[in-house]
């Protein structure tokens, strides 16, 4: 079984936020009005934000200022704090290491959103809405089943959603390999953000395979993980700038 | 046919059958209106979504959770007073157990409602049973709160049974038929036989022991919901005992207010006497001291460790945007401590002549303090040129010192009055503690959710919906209380009678003089 992992090279990232946009269209993330965004209700499964998150004097004084931006998908932790606290198993880690979210199961208690130290989880405060041209071009892909609703499927009111490493793409790739009667290869699938990345800063692959790009990059001295001392063991790995 | 002391009948049973007076109808009407308004906004929230609150990212939890922790905390009044005092055989508990147990049940009902109100999908509540995961602290909470609610209702009902039978057998003439049936059914055929008494005492003794660990678990688990996350300010081992102590502390405060209300409305000064206030007051002082100790201990480690994500949480409490609520909380608790400890220690005679104990001094210091508060607050709200000077550090420091001195002076000058009115002063202290404990919950939940590790800091203002639902919750709590004491006696009649018998028996015991030895 592959263990899916993403490596983001901060040296190559130009903070264009193309990943955020690609994610939004791939995963049907609801759009909110500016007044709602002010209340912190904007949804960005793949957020790009400055680090430190609250710029203070420590980031320097003009002209010696330094701005660092971090693109942030879900960390897909190997020890995810979010799934431990879910009372109903609406969020869970699958055998390929992806932390999934089942909209049909979520009761909206928001313990996972509070429990996630990375803030990758979003809540549907209102029923998702799109304006006319957008509403006509939603991604039809969805992961569906008995009591299961995942991926880009339009979310119901009052549930939590998050980055799934484009789980629908993975399912499609698996289905295709099965239909063609061959083994699935780890290079058959990448999430939308990796595909779109302007600076080619994102790498995606199987962490179990020691020869894969992500495994090789993860060994670099530049590699680090967000909140490493939290014991969450993220599978989204960063390469330090400089 | 069970008999009752005519005095008890007059004081405790007859008021239950008196026609509803205007005060009752008026207050019930107001409370119902507030509850109705809150319910209306809640249904609106169900249909529109939690967007009608002031929450967002990263403030995923806010006032509903604060109220949840607060009300469940209040519910600890009943267990502590009844169970611990019953187990230890404290005789003075007898007149106040009923009120304490009633608080527990009502606060638990209102408290658990808060968590349901906070849920994004109330229609999926059955999922917690169908798909429940025992690893989640929320499941621990559901189990312990449910157990506590069932236990508390049982524990309220058991000692009520003989009283219900007494009422059934001593109904005043002309009582509506439904009330006769009501008491007959609820007393479950109680006849006061010896076998029944033995069984009841056994059941009460078991429940009293059983409910103490359940109550401790309830508030520990609520604290663990916060402590089991990685969030700065919450990820702390002290939270369990801190929350339990805080819960008992606020519970005693609520109990003082409730028992004083019952005492005044029913005229029970003879039963709920100063003795009850004094003994429970001692427990109150102890809890206050322990609370201060825990609050200090909680923050000391953060202050000395100065960790990247922990320190800002403490900083916003000490001098940031949560400073007003934090220091107001500290002030509430400190003033409550003063009111409970200092006035009873004063000597009455010598004090009368001292200048600081005269009403003139009280008025003066109060006025000066009010002016100082104005000087400190106004420059923050509006830009007044000649007041801008009080915004400077030196001036503000001087003003704060003067304010503290004036408040101390005011407290000192009213001490004689507080000493002369012990019940009123304890109620004032209790009100301060209840407000302070609500602020404490606010100061624990909000600074952390507004200052997470990897999301930029945020602010939170409760919306009209959240405030209305909070008001409705408090109203619901009060209304349940009012209705309960229109149907059931406010004091456990049989326990009071039992206490009298024990007292009489003790007064008849002759203690032999010590023998003086011959050599």
């Amino acid at each position: 079984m592959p263990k899916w992992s993403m490596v983001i090279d901060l040296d190559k990232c130009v903070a264009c936020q193309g990943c955020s946009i690609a994610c939004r269209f791939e995963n049907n993330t609801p759009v909110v009005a500016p007044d709602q965004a002010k209340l912190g209700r904007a949804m960005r499964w793949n957020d790009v934000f400055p680090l430190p998150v609250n710029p203070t004097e420590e980031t320097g004084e003009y002209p010696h200022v330094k701005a660092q931006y971090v693109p942030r998908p879900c960390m897909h932790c190997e020890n995810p704090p979010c799934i431990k606290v879910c009372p109903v198993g609406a969020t869970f880690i699958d055998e390929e290491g992806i932390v999934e979210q089942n909209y049909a199961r979520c009761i909206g208690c928001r313990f996972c959103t509070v429990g996630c130290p990375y803030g990758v989880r979003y809540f549907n405060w209102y029923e998702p809405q799109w304006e006319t041209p957008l509403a006509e071009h939603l991604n039809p892909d969805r992961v569906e089943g008995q009591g299961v609703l995942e991926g880009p499927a339009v979310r119901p009111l009052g549930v939590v959603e998050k980055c799934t490493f484009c789980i629908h793409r993975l399912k499609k790739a698996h289905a295709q390999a099965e239909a063609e009667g061959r083994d699935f290869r780890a290079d058959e699938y990448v999430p939308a953000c990796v595909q779109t990345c302007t600076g080619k800063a994102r790498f995606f692959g199987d962490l179990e395979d020691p020869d894969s790009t992500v495994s090789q990059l993860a060994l670099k001295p530049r590699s680090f993980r967000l909140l490493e001392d939290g014991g969450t063991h993220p599978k989204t790995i960063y390469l330090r700038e400089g | 046919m069970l008999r009752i002391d005519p005095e008890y009948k007059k004081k405790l049973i007859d008021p239950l059958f008196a026609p509803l007076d205007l005060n009752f109808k008026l207050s019930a009407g107001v409370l119902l209106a507030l509850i109705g308004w809150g319910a209306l906004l809640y249904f609106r929230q169900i249909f529109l979504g939690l967007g009608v609150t002031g929450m967002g990212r990263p403030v995923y939890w806010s006032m509903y959770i604060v109220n949840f922790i607060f009300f469940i905390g209040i519910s600890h009044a009943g267990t502590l007073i009844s169970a611990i005092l019953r187990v230890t055989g404290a005789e003075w508990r007898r007149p106040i157990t009923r009120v304490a147990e009633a608080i527990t049940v009502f606060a638990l009902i209102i408290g658990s409602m808060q968590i349901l109100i906070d849920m994004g999908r109330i229609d999926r509540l059955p999922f917690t049973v169908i798909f429940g995961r025992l690893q989640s602290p929320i499941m621990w909470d559901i189990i312990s709160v449910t157990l506590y609610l069932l236990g508390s209702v049982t524990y309220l009902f058991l000692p009520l049974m003989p009283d219900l039978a007494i009422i059934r057998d001593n109904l005043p003439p002309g009582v509506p038929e439904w009330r006769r049936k009501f008491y007959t059914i609820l007393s479950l055929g109680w006849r006061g036989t010896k076998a029944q008494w033995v069984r009841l005492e056994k059941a009460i003794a078991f429940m009293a022991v059983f409910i103490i660990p359940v109550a401790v678990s309830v508030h520990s688990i609520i604290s663990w919901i916060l402590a089991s996350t990685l969030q700065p300010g919450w990820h702390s081992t002290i939270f369990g005992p801190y929350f339990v102590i805080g819960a008992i502390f606020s519970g005693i405060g609520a109990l003082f207010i409730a028992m004083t209300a019952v005492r005044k409305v029913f005229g029970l000064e003879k039963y709920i006497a100063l003795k009850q206030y004094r003994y429970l007051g001692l427990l109150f002082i102890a809890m206050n001291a322990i609370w201060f100790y825990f609050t200090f201990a909680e923050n000391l480690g953060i202050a000395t460790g100065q960790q990247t994500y922990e320190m800002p949480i403490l900083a916003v409490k000490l001098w940031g945007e949560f400073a007003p609520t934090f220091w107001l909380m500290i002030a509430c608790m400190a003033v409550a401590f003063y009111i409970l400890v200092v006035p009873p220690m004063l000597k009455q005679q010598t004090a009368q002549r001292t200048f600081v104990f005269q009403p003139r001094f009280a008025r003066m210091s109060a006025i000066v303090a009010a002016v100082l508060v104005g000087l400190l607050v106004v420059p923050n709200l509006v830009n007044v040129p000649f007041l801008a000077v009080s915004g400077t550090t030196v001036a503000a420091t001087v003003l704060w010192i003067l304010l503290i001195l004036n408040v101390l002076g005011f407290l000192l000058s009213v001490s004689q009055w507080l000493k002369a009115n012990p019940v009123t002063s304890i109620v004032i202290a209790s009100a301060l503690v209840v407000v302070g404990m609500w602020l404490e919950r606010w100061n624990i939940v909000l600074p952390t959710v507004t200052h997470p590790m990897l999301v930029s800091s945020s602010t939170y203002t409760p919306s009209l919906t959240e405030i209305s639902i909070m008001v409705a919750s408090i109203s619901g709590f009060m209304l349940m209380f009012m209705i309960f004491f229109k149907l059931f006696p406010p004091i456990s009649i049989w326990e009071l009678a039992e206490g009298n018998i024990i007292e009489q028996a003790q007064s008849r015991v002759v203690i032999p003089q010590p023998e003086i030895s011959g050599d």
Side-chain angles (χ1 to χ4, degrees):
Chain A
M1 272 299 160
K3 278 265 180 277
W4 300 107
S5 164
M6 189 184 290
V7 176
I8 302 173
D9 189 344
L10 296 179
D11 245 353
K12 290 187 179 170
C13 173
V14 294
C16 67
Q17 304 181 50
C19 45
S20 290
I21 302 298
C23 175
R24 179 171 294 281
F25 283 89
E26 183 73 21
N27 288 298
N28 296 334
T29 332
V31 182
V32 301
D35 63 315
Q36 292 293 306
K38 251 187 213 147
L39 281 165
R41 291 171 182 174
M43 299 211 192
R44 297 183 208 94
W45 285 14
N46 193 308
D47 202 0
V48 180
F49 56 81
L51 208 66
V53 283
N54 297 303
T56 52
E57 308 83 59
E58 284 143 89
T59 49
E61 214 166 284
Y62 181 81
H64 307 290
V65 286
K66 186 169 161 47
Q68 189 188 12
Y69 284 90
V70 177
R72 191 234 55 218
C74 174
M75 298 295 125
H76 293 280
C77 309
E78 282 190 67
N79 183 21
C82 55
I83 69 164
K84 281 189 253 177
V85 298
C86 181
V88 293
T91 184
F92 53 96
I93 187 161
D94 66 15
E95 63 270 30
E96 295 183 52
I98 292 178
V99 179
E100 295 184 36
Q101 176 77 24
N102 183 355
Y103 316 131
R105 177 74 65 83
C106 178
I107 61 168
C109 69
R110 309 189 301 294
F111 199 173
C112 57
T113 56
V114 173
C116 174
Y118 303 98
V120 309
R121 296 177 152 269
Y122 295 83
F123 182 73
N124 285 279
W125 302 100
Y126 286 115
E127 193 101 42
Q129 276 175 343
W130 290 270
E131 292 189 10
T132 337
L134 283 172
E136 286 159 7
H137 297 91
L138 293 179
N139 185 354
D141 288 348
R142 46 174 46 212
V143 178
E144 229 174 347
Q146 186 67 40
V148 175
L149 191 66
E150 288 183 52
V154 171
R155 270 71 80 181
L157 171 72
V159 300
V160 170
E161 56 180 80
K162 67 178 282 292
C163 157
T164 61
F165 271 175
C166 291
I167 183 93
H168 54 292
R169 288 185 170 212
L170 174 63
K171 301 248 168 182
K172 269 207 262 185
H174 271 304
Q176 177 135 19
E178 204 174 312
E180 291 171 12
R182 55 176 175 81
D183 282 343
F184 168 79
R185 290 195 326 272
D187 60 356
E188 283 181 77
Y189 141 71
V190 290
C193 56
V194 179
Q195 189 182 11
T196 205
C197 184
T198 317
K200 294 196 166 50
R202 290 187 182 227
F203 305 89
F204 192 78
D206 177 11
L207 207 57
E208 292 281 273
D209 174 8
D211 298 325
S212 69
T213 320
V214 285
S215 294
Q216 295 291 319
L217 290 173
L219 292 174
K220 289 215 170 199
R222 281 208 291 140
S223 79
F224 75 101
R225 290 152 169 88
L226 288 179
L227 304 178
E228 212 151 352
D229 49 3
T232 52
H233 302 292
K235 288 199 294 293
T236 295
I237 300 161
Y238 290 90
L239 297 181
R240 197 170 270 112
E241 263 179 279
Chain B
M1 181 78 184
L2 299 162
R3 274 169 304 149
I4 178 175
D5 187 317
E7 196 193 324
Y8 289 167
K9 184 170 186 315
K10 189 166 151 276
K11 278 283 180 195
L12 301 171
I13 296 187
D14 288 349
L16 304 179
F17 299 97
L20 301 179
D21 56 356
L22 190 65
N23 271 346
F24 183 92
K25 283 180 191 162
L26 217 59
S27 25
V30 171
L31 292 176
L32 272 174
L34 291 171
I35 295 168
W37 172 244
L40 195 73
L41 286 181
Y42 173 59
F43 285 116
R44 182 169 165 269
Q45 175 188 297
I46 292 182
F47 287 111
L48 291 182
L50 279 166
V52 297
T53 66
M55 289 187 273
R57 177 175 176 269
V59 189
Y60 284 115
W61 280 354
S62 60
M63 213 151 118
Y64 294 147
I65 298 290
V66 171
N67 288 335
F68 164 65
I69 305 176
F70 173 74
F71 275 110
I72 303 279
I74 293 286
S75 81
H76 281 56
T79 4
L80 176 93
I81 307 313
S82 292
I84 298 183
L85 298 183
R86 264 201 184 111
V87 170
T88 52
E91 282 298 316
W92 57 270
R93 70 164 199 275
R94 293 179 186 277
I96 54 174
T97 48
R98 176 72 39 83
V99 178
E101 288 153 17
I103 292 181
T104 300
V105 173
F106 303 146
L108 264 179
I109 294 171
I110 297 288
S112 9
M113 272 168 60
Q114 304 300 316
I115 213 85
L116 302 181
I117 292 169
D118 189 60
M119 271 174 66
R121 295 296 297 235
I122 187 71
D123 55 314
R124 292 182 182 175
L125 187 63
F127 285 11
T128 54
V129 180
I130 305 168
F131 305 111
R133 284 178 71 251
L134 273 182
Q135 297 94 322
S136 168
I138 284 196
M139 283 311 287
W140 312 344
D141 193 46
I142 291 172
I143 293 167
S144 78
V145 169
T146 311
L147 200 60
Y148 189 40
L149 184 60
L150 294 176
S152 304
V153 172
T154 315
Y155 192 57
L156 173 69
F157 181 69
L158 284 176
L160 198 57
M161 223 179 339
D163 278 7
L164 291 168
I166 292 171
I167 299 176
R168 177 198 64 198
D169 293 351
N170 294 282
L171 284 172
V175 173
E177 188 53 30
W178 71 268
R179 289 198 83 166
R180 188 181 297 277
K181 269 193 190 143
F182 180 78
Y183 294 113
T184 311
I185 293 168
L186 276 185
S187 52
L188 299 180
W190 180 268
R191 288 192 312 280
T193 62
K194 197 173 172 222
Q196 283 181 332
W197 277 116
V198 170
R199 236 174 278 150
L200 182 76
E201 290 286 359
K202 251 189 204 161
I204 292 179
F206 171 78
M207 283 309 293
V209 175
F210 169 77
I211 211 154
I212 294 171
V214 175
V216 171
S217 84
V218 166
H219 233 241
S220 299
I221 288 170
I222 289 174
S223 81
W224 293 336
I225 287 183
L226 307 181
S228 62
T229 65
L230 277 176
Q231 301 299 341
W234 287 357
H235 194 56
S236 154
T237 51
I238 206 171
F239 262 36
Y242 185 34
F243 272 50
V244 173
I245 287 296
I248 295 171
F249 188 29
S250 62
I252 298 177
L255 176 57
F256 267 131
I257 295 172
M259 74 191 224
T260 310
V262 165
R263 179 183 194 247
K264 204 161 162 45
V265 170
F266 289 91
L268 301 174
E269 284 82 359
K270 196 181 154 198
Y271 307 110
I272 303 178
L274 277 182
K275 186 175 160 190
Q276 274 72 31
Y277 283 90
R278 207 176 313 129
Y279 287 167
L280 197 58
L282 288 176
L283 209 56
F284 205 30
I285 295 170
M287 289 300 152
N288 198 330
I290 301 172
W291 182 86
F292 266 108
Y293 170 74
F294 271 118
T295 305
F296 179 75
E298 183 212 357
N299 292 316
L300 179 72
I302 301 176
T304 53
Q306 304 251 330
Q307 287 178 328
T308 324
Y309 298 112
E310 295 270 352
M311 191 55 197
I313 308 287
L314 180 60
V316 293
K317 284 199 258 185
L318 293 183
W319 51 74
E321 72 246 40
F322 287 94
T325 49
F326 181 80
W327 292 109
L328 189 60
M329 165 188 87
I330 297 284
C332 280
M333 302 309 194
V335 171
F337 190 77
Y338 177 93
I339 292 174
L340 291 170
V341 174
V342 177
M345 295 198 304
L346 291 176
K347 279 189 197 144
Q348 200 127 26
Q349 291 91 341
T350 52
Q352 226 76 34
R353 274 172 259 132
T354 324
F355 171 64
V356 289
F357 291 125
Q358 285 176 3
R360 240 185 318 153
F361 186 76
R363 272 198 298 274
M364 189 190 75
S365 49
I367 291 167
V368 175
V371 170
L372 288 168
V373 169
L375 282 176
L376 281 163
V377 171
V378 168
N380 291 333
L381 302 177
V382 284
N383 194 10
V384 186
F386 70 92
L387 279 182
V389 66
S390 65
T392 63
T393 317
V394 177
T397 312
V398 172
L399 287 176
W400 273 112
I401 292 170
L402 284 175
L403 176 63
I404 290 167
L405 287 177
N406 266 284
V407 170
L408 284 177
F410 177 74
L411 285 174
L412 202 61
S413 60
V414 294
S415 294
Q416 280 302 330
W417 182 83
L418 290 171
K419 186 182 168 66
N421 299 284
V423 174
T424 317
S425 66
I426 285 192
V427 170
I428 294 172
S430 302
L432 287 170
V433 166
V434 170
V435 172
M437 281 311 294
W438 189 87
L439 290 171
E440 192 230 48
R441 276 67 165 102
W442 176 273
N443 293 329
I444 284 176
V445 173
L446 266 304
T448 294
V449 291
T450 50
H451 294 80
M453 293 185 270
L454 285 176
V455 184
S456 61
S457 307
S458 172
T459 52
Y460 164 72
T461 323
S463 72
L464 180 67
T465 305
E466 286 165 294
I467 293 168
S468 305
I469 288 179
M470 178 174 165
V471 171
S473 302
I474 297 169
S475 307
F477 181 67
M478 284 156 69
L479 188 65
M480 280 201 260
F481 219 81
M482 280 169 60
I483 294 172
F484 183 82
F485 288 119
K486 270 282 158 199
L487 292 173
F488 302 102
I491 290 179
S492 187
I493 301 169
W494 68 272
E495 283 187 274
L496 213 57
E498 189 187 56
N500 277 345
I501 292 165
I502 292 173
E503 208 170 296
Q504 280 165 15
Q506 275 172 345
S507 63
R508 270 205 297 275
V509 174
V510 183
I511 300 161
Q513 293 291 312
E515 274 181 46
I516 301 156
S517 62
D519 44 29

